[in-house]
Amino acid sequence: MRRFEPQIQGWLLLLPAAVLLVAFTHYPAVATVWHSFFSTARGGRAAQFIGLDNYRDMMDDPVFWQALRNNAVFALGTIPVSIALALLMALWVNGRILGRGMLRLAFFTPTVLPMIAVANIWLFFYTPGYGLIDQLGSLFGLPEHNWLGNRDTVLGCLIVVTVWKEAGFFMIFYLAALQQISPVLGEAAAVEGAGRWYFFRRVTFPLLMPTTLFVLVNAVINSFRLVDHVVAMTKGGPDNASALLLYYIYDVGFRFWDTGYAAALTVVLLVILAVLALGQFLILERRVHYQ
Amino acid sequence: MSAVAVEEVTKQWGETRAVDGVSFTAAAGSLVVLLGPSGCGKSTTLRLIAGLEAASAGRIRIAGRDVTHLPPARRGIAMVFQSYALFPHLTVAENILFGLRVRKVPAAERRRRLAKVAGLLGLERLLERKPAQLSGGQQQRVALGRAIIAEAPVCLMDEPLSNLDAQLRHEMRREIRALQQKLGMTMLYVTHDQSEAMSMADQVILLRGGRIEQDAAPAALYDRPATAFAARFIGTPPMNILRSADAGVLLGIRPEDIVLAERGDVAARIGAIEYLGADSTVTCMLGGETVLARVQGRVGLPAGAAVRLSWPRERVHLFDAATGRRLDDTMSPPPAAAQELGERVAAAAGG
Ligand SMILES: Nc1ncnc2c1ncn2[C@@H]1O[C@H](COP(=O)(O)OP(=O)(O)OP(=O)(O)O)[C@@H](O)[C@H]1O
Ligand SMILES: [Mg+2]
């Protein structure tokens, strides 16, 4: 009996954290999967086990496919651009330039703003007629444009807002990583005759790989997780042209109160995220040099 | 023609003159050491020659070519950094080959040179490792390999051994010297360790406060230090500098020239004895002054014992008290006859 005492003690110490974790993370996750196999309880009719019916409905749901497609476009539009931009900005403000403190602050500001505030700023930019973009356009004689009201441009507009918001955040990680790279490496390369681009390609970029992986995983998760601006700017419209997967789940779950179907959609979202994150780690891990 | 010629070079940062009108030449195939205390401008001088800093004034020639305004890569130099500056994500082979790849040397030629350098430095079995998997000494060798594979006529080294332990430092010292002679490179080598300078150099340039204190062969630096500073910087323990009866003159005597004897010129008292194995450093109280003497083996006398000191007259160095400059170079005949020297010291020391 005595032998188990330290173990019991250990488990007791873990208990509070474990309870919180189970109550707020593990249980809801499992419950979501469980609920996705049930119909939604409606007006006196209790929830019934319906197996994979929710998933079968999903296959036939054009809005689901549209949201998935939108989300793919949104991810492809935001991730590479915001990471590339973040890297560029970090390289720039890492150099010896005048007023780099101000520049760093300027680049980082969008990150600090709440998404709702960001959405409001950009709502003004996009306003047809007297919004900033149209005003600038009118200087060059361009016609008015309803940026957020047009199926063809609305998703692009959301992508721009997201890139604007995220790039500064990712820049901070790149900046921190760049400052870890000893300037002597640059001098050694200069003595060997390596140009700036060669040095970036052979040395800086490979040394930034751990950061890139981290940023990439975050960017992917964010592209499926960030919906504040959809809520604030477009509500998924027009005609679901800007509906992202999580926004659609919100719509189904909290506006149509179809909780069973929402649970099934959530499971799909989680599976997508898990596969993507795992894939990134497995593929990129081999190419990452950790110091 | 000298391999490297530095002409009146100055480097200024705001008010500080890190390098102040420095001129010297390095003969082709020689090992020139830039020596001096911390902050005297050794690294800055080397970096000016490498082209990693731009000179505020003056000219730098390498192999007769004015390179003052050329970028590092076009100066015909290789460099070893104090921290080695190895690329942490590249293997040893890739680190060594870095410069050849930049210059697009064909693969066959690259392989040939890598094999040669690896053989020279004993790195054959480490070529696939990353720098983090190497010991300090091995990393040092890789940095050396990266420098010599370029086959540049001039190799610059900034305190390449300062991160190694004493034993390894000793070994690498000899190895670098042998390599330099074997390959016939001109080497400019920065160190603050005077024993490193003395044992490796053909020519030592002693810097102080951004200026050259003395530029001479190691033996000349030891035998005829140009200033009191140079005299005290070279040799362990440092030279004794004593005031003399003539207020304008300082007397210098190396500890190893002092003999503790029954019958000597000067009476002194033993303060402390530091036993070092092959020899001992004896601190002697000579009136108000402290004189260090280096004697062979053990000293069988207790602290506080009375001794007499003597030294060969011709081993006394004279310096101008005001400027610190050596006197017998600038004045002839010497200000005092050799016979008087003993008495001068005795008089100055009051004993
Ligand atoms: N980038 C810089 N900006 C301003 N001052 C500098 C700079 N680099 C060096 N200095 C100054 O120049 C002087 C010489 O520096 P340097 O690095 O050449 O000394 P060092 O002889 O190599 O010393 P150590 O043995 O400590 O390496 C120092 O006073 C230093 O503070
Ligand atoms: Mg230095």
Side-chain angles (χ1 to χ4, degrees):
Chain A
M1 197 58 220
R2 290 216 133 253
R3 256 186 326 137
F4 295 108
E5 250 170 45
Q7 296 202 14
I8 291 172
Q9 222 169 45
W11 281 107
L12 283 176
L13 285 170
L14 272 180
L15 197 63
V19 166
L20 287 176
L21 209 64
V22 168
F24 294 106
T25 306
H26 297 150
Y27 171 72
V30 174
T32 303
V33 176
W34 181 247
H35 285 312
S36 73
F37 299 123
F38 284 82
S39 67
T40 306
R42 272 192 214 286
R45 199 150 46 84
Q48 281 183 319
F49 183 81
I50 53 170
L52 292 176
D53 274 5
N54 277 329
Y55 294 92
R56 243 170 252 132
D57 287 348
M58 204 185 299
M59 294 302 111
D60 298 328
D61 177 1
V63 184
F64 163 71
W65 287 110
Q66 164 112 50
L68 199 60
R69 222 171 19 247
N70 285 347
N71 222 146
V73 171
F74 182 74
L76 289 176
T78 53
I79 297 167
V81 178
S82 57
I83 292 180
L85 212 57
L87 184 53
L88 271 176
M89 294 193 301
L91 287 170
W92 192 31
V93 299
N94 191 45
R96 277 181 241 165
I97 49 165
L98 213 65
R100 66 176 175 178
M102 288 304 292
L103 265 178
R104 286 181 190 178
L105 190 68
F107 288 156
F108 192 61
T109 309
T111 305
V112 187
L113 295 177
M115 197 60 175
I116 298 296
V118 171
N120 270 313
I121 295 171
W122 282 88
L123 270 177
F124 162 65
F125 288 174
Y126 288 139
T127 311
Y130 61 88
L132 185 71
I133 295 173
D134 270 6
Q135 283 193 28
L136 283 178
S138 71
L139 292 180
F140 300 96
L142 296 175
E144 270 185 33
H145 196 301
N146 187 356
W147 296 99
L148 294 176
N150 188 319
R151 293 187 54 116
D152 298 329
T153 52
V154 64
L155 200 54
C157 288
L158 291 186
I159 288 173
V160 170
V161 174
T162 309
V163 168
W164 186 80
K165 170 125 176 89
E166 298 244 281
F169 184 52
F170 297 150
M171 176 198 75
I172 294 297
F173 292 104
Y174 274 126
L175 195 55
L178 280 173
Q179 312 232 307
Q180 294 297 308
I181 298 179
S182 162
V184 187
L185 293 186
E187 292 180 346
V191 169
E192 302 288 356
R196 279 158 67 119
W197 169 242
Y198 189 89
F199 180 67
F200 175 78
R201 201 162 50 81
R202 277 299 299 287
V203 182
T204 313
F205 190 68
L207 288 179
L208 289 176
M209 270 313 257
T211 311
T212 302
L213 180 60
F214 174 81
V215 164
L216 190 61
V217 169
N218 271 283
V220 167
I221 292 173
N222 276 354
S223 71
F224 284 90
R225 207 194 54 164
L226 219 63
V227 289
D228 315 27
H229 53 325
V230 182
V231 176
M233 294 173 79
T234 68
K235 302 246 183 305
D239 199 10
N240 292 321
S242 65
L244 301 181
L245 203 50
L246 187 57
Y247 182 77
Y248 183 50
I249 293 172
Y250 164 81
D251 246 10
V252 170
F254 297 102
R255 284 180 55 206
F256 309 144
W257 293 105
D258 189 348
T259 49
Y261 187 41
L265 286 169
T266 307
V267 170
V268 169
L269 177 62
L270 288 178
V271 168
I272 291 175
L273 282 180
V275 168
L276 285 177
L278 210 66
Q280 289 172 66
F281 276 117
L282 290 181
I283 293 168
L284 292 177
E285 190 79 338
R286 260 172 287 145
R287 304 188 39 199
V288 172
H289 166 84
Y290 290 101
Q291 293 206 301
Chain B
M1 183 178 56
S2 51
V4 179
V6 175
E7 298 165 7
E8 287 298 325
V9 166
T10 294
K11 176 69 192 182
Q12 217 164 339
W13 276 291
E15 286 296 291
T16 43
R17 279 173 174 248
V19 175
D20 192 359
V22 162
S23 302
F24 65 86
T25 60
S30 67
L31 197 158
V32 177
V33 167
L34 294 171
L35 178 68
S38 185
C40 69
K42 307 179 295 285
S43 297
T44 307
T45 305
L46 202 71
R47 292 169 60 82
L48 285 165
I49 296 168
L52 295 170
E53 305 283 359
S56 310
R59 275 202 308 184
I60 296 165
R61 290 171 193 280
I62 293 176
R65 216 156 45 103
D66 187 343
V67 299
T68 316
H69 302 291
L70 291 184
R74 291 187 40 212
R75 294 189 172 202
I77 52 129
M79 187 156 177
V80 177
F81 295 83
Q82 179 174 356
S83 55
Y84 313 143
L86 300 179
F87 302 112
H89 60 298
L90 298 180
T91 61
V92 167
E94 285 303 318
N95 262 291
I96 294 176
L97 289 171
F98 189 87
L100 299 191
R101 275 196 199 281
V102 173
R103 271 166 268 136
K104 301 202 167 61
V105 174
E109 169 77 1
R110 280 204 308 258
R111 266 198 302 280
R112 187 184 67 72
R113 278 166 67 176
L114 177 63
K116 183 177 145 204
V117 168
L120 220 49
L121 294 168
L123 288 170
E124 295 100 330
R125 296 167 60 186
L126 304 173
L127 289 175
E128 291 314 311
R129 297 228 197 137
K130 297 272 175 72
Q133 299 164 321
L134 301 177
S135 72
Q138 291 166 336
Q139 290 182 21
Q140 222 293 309
R141 263 173 239 262
V142 177
L144 213 55
R146 192 173 62 185
I148 63 177
I149 201 167
E151 296 178 3
V154 176
C155 183
L156 310 175
M157 298 197 170
D158 192 353
E159 309 213 19
L161 306 183
S162 60
N163 290 344
L164 304 180
D165 64 56
Q167 173 96 34
L168 202 54
R169 203 151 58 211
H170 234 84
E171 255 169 56
M172 289 304 293
R173 212 192 261 183
R174 252 178 298 143
E175 225 169 283
I176 289 177
R177 175 61 162 160
L179 204 63
Q180 178 262 334
Q181 288 180 325
K182 184 168 174 185
L183 301 177
M185 289 185 284
T186 310
M187 192 176 275
L188 259 68
Y189 187 105
V190 164
T191 181
H192 61 257
D193 179 346
Q194 53 99 10
S195 64
E196 214 165 283
M198 296 299 277
S199 61
M200 292 175 78
D202 294 306
Q203 175 189 355
V204 177
I205 296 168
L206 181 63
L207 290 169
R208 179 197 189 188
R211 292 167 177 277
I212 293 184
E213 195 79 3
Q214 187 166 8
D215 175 356
L221 203 64
Y222 178 82
D223 291 333
R224 296 182 61 77
T227 64
F229 173 81
R232 282 188 67 78
F233 201 83
I234 304 293
T236 35
M239 185 188 280
N240 298 297
I241 303 282
L242 304 172
R243 281 175 285 122
S244 79
D246 175 353
V249 178
L250 297 174
L251 302 174
I253 307 137
R254 292 210 178 272
E256 49 273 40
D257 291 333
I258 295 179
V259 185
L260 266 65
E262 307 272 299
R263 297 161 47 76
D265 305 317
V266 188
R269 200 165 286 284
I270 292 181
I273 298 171
E274 203 181 344
Y275 174 61
L276 299 167
D279 47 29
S280 305
T281 303
V282 184
T283 310
C284 302
M285 313 308 293
L286 213 162
E289 303 212 51
T290 309
V291 174
L292 296 179
R294 190 167 141 190
V295 297
Q296 289 218 325
R298 272 181 191 284
V299 179
L301 293 167
V307 284
R308 293 192 76 81
L309 308 179
S310 72
W311 49 80
R313 304 269 186 252
E314 69 279 8
R315 306 293 296 180
V316 175
H317 306 257
L318 298 178
F319 302 101
D320 185 314
T323 62
R325 300 216 72 80
R326 188 180 188 83
L327 279 177
D328 51 348
D329 283 340
T330 50
M331 286 187 196
S332 63
Q339 300 92 294
E340 287 175 31
L341 286 172
E343 290 109 67
R344 278 166 164 274
V345 176

